[in-house]
Every structure is written in structure tokens, then in C-alpha cells.
Amino acid sequence: MRAADPEAMGMALASARRALLAGEVPVGACLVWGERSLTAHNHVIAHTDPTAHAEMEIIRAAASQWPAWSAAESRLYVTVEPCPMCLGACHYAGIHDIVYAVSLADFHQLTGGELMAPLQGDATLTGACCRDESWELLQTWAARQAASA
């Protein structure tokens, strides 16, 4: 395991400071890929977008600015441990090396745990609506994936 890079976390912290000045929750991120780096911070309020967390913003930026980006070869520095949404996005983006400063448990002392709400079951899920049609589309997609592999 590589040692954490205080300089990269410093860039994430600088981005978090920019978020605070902009009236956002002060969470910043820095993505390092080889000699390259990107920074981002929360834009939830500015974009009126509940998904505009620093991690989501940096994944979007990397995908658009680095066409040959290999997420598996990158490392994400974030000032707060990723919430379930961001951790899922990192997983699907292929980012497996994440360094954070403050844990979600610490953050929850300030927020009352609102970032854990999705795991506490506050949504009502109703399944199997038009299941057969949806399942058929997924099977078609899976067959195409298998054929192109």
C-alpha cells in the first residue's frame, strides 16, 4: 500500500476551503493520476443538485478532461469519508484507492447522520412493476455484452 500524500490532501483541503467560501458544505477532493491531478468541491447548493458532492464532481471532471483516464491507476483524496452514494460512484468508476481526512462517524456528530439515511431505509420501494419488459431489455443488453467480449 502506498503512503498517503499530504500534498494531495492539502489540495483537497484548499478545495474544501473554496466550498466553504461559496456557502457549500466544505468537502473537497483531489484525484491524482500519475503526474496529473484534479480538484473539486461540493456544488450541491450552487447547482441545486443533491448529487453534486466533491467525489461526484471529480469523477465527472476526470471522465471529461482525461479521455484515457485509468481510474484503477488513480488515487482519490477527499476531506470527508465518502458517503454511500459517492462510494458507489467510486466503485463503478473503478477508483479503488481512496484516502480521507475525517470519517463519516465524525461528520455525523455535526449532521446527525443524514448521509446514512439511505441505508436506514427511509424510502418506500415497490418492485416488479413491468418486470417482464424490463427483464427482457436487461437480458438483451447482457447478451450483447457477452457477444462483444
Side-chain angles (χ1 to χ4, degrees), residues 125-143:
L125 299 176
T126 304
C129 180
C130 299
R131 183 196 184 282
D132 293 342
E133 293 89 344
S134 183
W135 185 242
E136 184 179 322
L137 288 169
L138 290 168
Q139 289 176 315
T140 300
W141 169 79

Side-chain angles (χ1 to χ4, degrees), residues 18-144:
R18 287 191 294 278
L20 183 63
L21 290 171
E24 298 281 352
V25 176
V27 177
C30 177
L31 186 66
V32 178
W33 178 44
E35 299 298 317
R36 300 175 179 157
S37 65
L38 288 173
T39 60
H41 62 75
N42 279 17
H43 284 98
V44 172
I45 296 166
H47 296 168
T48 57
D49 178 356
T51 70
H53 291 194
E55 300 93 330
M56 303 293 279
E57 296 287 287
I58 212 156
I59 289 168
R60 291 177 185 125
S64 69
Q65 294 179 35
W66 296 340
W69 174 48
S70 172
E73 297 170 4
S74 64
R75 180 178 249 189
L76 176 64
Y77 290 83
V78 63
T79 59
V80 177
E81 179 181 0
C83 72
M85 173 186 69
C86 293
L87 198 56
C90 287
H91 166 78
Y92 286 112
I95 300 170
H96 303 293
D97 194 358
I98 303 168
V99 177
Y100 63 88
V102 174
S103 72
L104 275 179
D106 289 336
F107 187 68
H108 289 164
Q109 291 178 23
L110 300 173
T111 66
E114 53 88 20
L115 289 177
M116 295 307 290
L119 300 180
Q120 296 168 354
D122 65 343
T124 300
L125 299 176
T126 304
C129 180
C130 299
R131 183 196 184 282
D132 293 342
E133 293 89 344
S134 183
W135 185 242
E136 184 179 322
L137 288 169
L138 290 168
Q139 289 176 315
T140 300
W141 169 79
R144 288 180 183 167

